């Protein structure tokens, strides 16, 4: 199995000023984050606004990401599945490209029991042509998972690991890391990535890495190499980046900063998202510039 350790960037979906897909900008941005040190890409994550894309647009985004990863020999993680098991199986088995892993969210809104979550992922993993990463994000799904459930999922065949995004370092996080399973744990919380890496996480899937890929790649490398002093310094310098980029709904501020830099054609998002405010954009740009200065020392 392809290693899933390191930094994976869940790419934004660039739009033109009139709100249409900007495929050339997406391809350039994908290459840019890999050039800056990212290990691989994540296609059609929350940051990509997939629920606002048409079926054809989602297919185009996946095509572009798969093409870039093939050219660069980089692993691609694709997001697929939802809160219905049968539909999730269909989405995963009908992916148009081979991928290193499928990122599948814990069933949301319906709030199944933890046994139901285990049954969902057991069936999905048995039928998936690629290893699964369980996306545990209870503040979006409404379904928190206990440490014992996470450990059972970690030991399920064809489940490679987790995108762990529980809004902090809770008891379940500590129990999962302390269990020392063979599962890969990737932090999905930008502000808590350094803390989870300190507990032994293998990398991260971070929306903020659309803006600061080199800095987050350096953070992961420092923890991996045991350079604790540098890892702490980088992690502390990046806290303001995570805070300001998510001061308004994701990915509005990220797209505004990228557009301000001239890296994408516009800051456009699709309803029900609204563009980021100028105040939020300025604060995030300043935080990113300050972090870049510190991490280069």
């Amino acid at each position: 199995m392809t290693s899933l350790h390191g930094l994976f960037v869940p790419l934004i979906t660039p739009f033109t000023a009139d709100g249409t897909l900007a495929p050339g900008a997406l391809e350039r941005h994908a290459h840019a984050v890999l050039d800056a040190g990212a290990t691989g890409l994540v296609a059609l994550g929350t940051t990509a606004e997939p629920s606002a894309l048409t079926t054809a647009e989602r297919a185009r985004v996946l095509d572009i990401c798969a093409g870039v990863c093939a050219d660069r020999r980089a692993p691609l993680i694709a997001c697929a599945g939802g809160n219905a098991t049968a539909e999730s199986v269909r989405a995963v088995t009908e992916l148009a490209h081979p991928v290193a892993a499928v990122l599948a969210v814990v069933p949301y809104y319906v709030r199944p029991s933890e046994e139901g979550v285990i049954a969902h992922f057991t069936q999905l993993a048995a039928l998936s042509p690629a290893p699964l990463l369980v996306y545990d994000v209870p503040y979006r799904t409404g379904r928190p998972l206990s440490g014992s459930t996470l450990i059972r999922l970690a030991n399920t065949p064809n489940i490679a690991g987790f995108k762990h995004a529980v809004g902090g370092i809770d008891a379940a996080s500590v129990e999962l890391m302390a269990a020392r399973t063979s599962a890969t744990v990737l932090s999905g919380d930008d502000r808590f990535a350094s803390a989870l890496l300190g507990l032994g996480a293998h990398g991260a899937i971070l929306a903020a890495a659309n803006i600061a890929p080199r800095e987050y790649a350096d953070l992961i490398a420092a923890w991996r190499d045991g350079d604790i002093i540098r890892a702490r310094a980088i992690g502390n310098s990046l806290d303001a980046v995570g805070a300001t980029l998510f001061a308004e709904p994701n990915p509005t501020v990220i797209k505004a900063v990228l557009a301000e830099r001239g890296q994408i054609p516009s800051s456009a998002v699709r309803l029900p998202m609204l563009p980021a405010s100028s105040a939020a954009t300025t604060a995030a740009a300043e935080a990113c510039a300050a972090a870049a200065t510190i991490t280069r020392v």
Side-chain angles (χ1 to χ4, degrees):
M1 185 182 75
T2 301
S3 173
L4 297 173
H5 295 191
L7 174 65
F8 289 81
V9 181
L11 296 176
I12 52 100
T13 301
F15 300 132
T16 62
D18 65 1
T20 58
L21 186 68
L26 175 59
E27 184 173 2
R28 289 190 297 273
H29 183 56
H31 279 292
V33 298
L34 292 172
D35 288 340
T39 301
L41 306 177
V42 179
L44 298 173
T46 306
T47 305
E49 302 170 76
S51 62
L53 301 177
T54 66
T55 300
E57 287 171 333
R58 288 194 294 271
R60 182 74 174 118
V61 166
L62 184 58
D63 287 345
I64 292 167
C65 293
V68 170
C69 285
D71 289 345
R72 301 295 295 269
R73 298 180 183 272
L76 174 64
I77 298 171
C79 297
N83 64 349
T85 303
E87 179 62 18
S88 296
V89 168
R90 185 202 63 76
V92 167
T93 56
E94 293 181 7
L95 279 171
H97 297 276
V99 296
V102 173
L103 182 60
V105 71
V106 170
Y108 50 85
Y109 188 74
V110 294
R111 300 182 68 192
S113 67
E114 292 192 66
E115 288 296 331
V117 172
I118 290 170
H120 170 86
F121 280 110
T122 299
Q123 185 172 139
L124 195 57
L127 297 171
S128 174
L132 292 186
L133 288 171
V134 174
Y135 185 12
D136 182 17
V137 56
Y139 50 89
R140 289 189 182 273
T141 65
R143 174 65 274 177
L145 300 179
S146 64
S148 60
T149 292
L150 294 174
I151 292 165
R152 286 175 65 186
L153 289 170
N155 291 317
T156 299
N158 206 35
I159 291 182
F162 303 89
K163 179 182 177 183
H164 192 65
V166 299
I169 304 297
D170 62 1
S173 305
V174 176
E175 290 170 27
L176 173 62
M177 300 313 302
R180 301 176 65 86
T181 70
S182 61
T184 295
V185 179
L186 301 175
S187 173
D189 281 312
D190 301 70
R191 294 192 71 182
F192 300 106
S194 188
L196 195 64
L197 288 161
L199 285 176
H202 305 92
I205 297 173
L206 301 175
N210 280 280
I211 296 291
R214 187 184 66 80
E215 290 81 3
Y216 284 102
D218 286 351
L219 173 68
I220 292 168
W223 279 115
R224 179 198 64 212
D225 296 341
D227 190 346
I228 296 173
I229 293 174
R230 178 166 170 74
R232 285 175 178 162
I234 296 173
N236 290 340
S237 73
L238 287 171
D239 181 64
V241 174
T244 56
L245 287 175
F246 297 96
E248 294 179 5
N250 181 46
T252 60
V253 182
I254 290 172
K255 295 181 88 170
V257 174
L258 288 172
E260 189 176 81
R261 292 177 177 179
Q263 292 176 250
I264 59 175
S266 79
S267 60
V269 291
R270 290 179 178 172
L271 287 171
M273 293 291 185
L274 295 174
S277 66
S278 58
T281 303
T282 299
E286 290 175 351
C288 292
T293 300
I294 292 169
T295 57
R296 289 193 183 104
V297 174

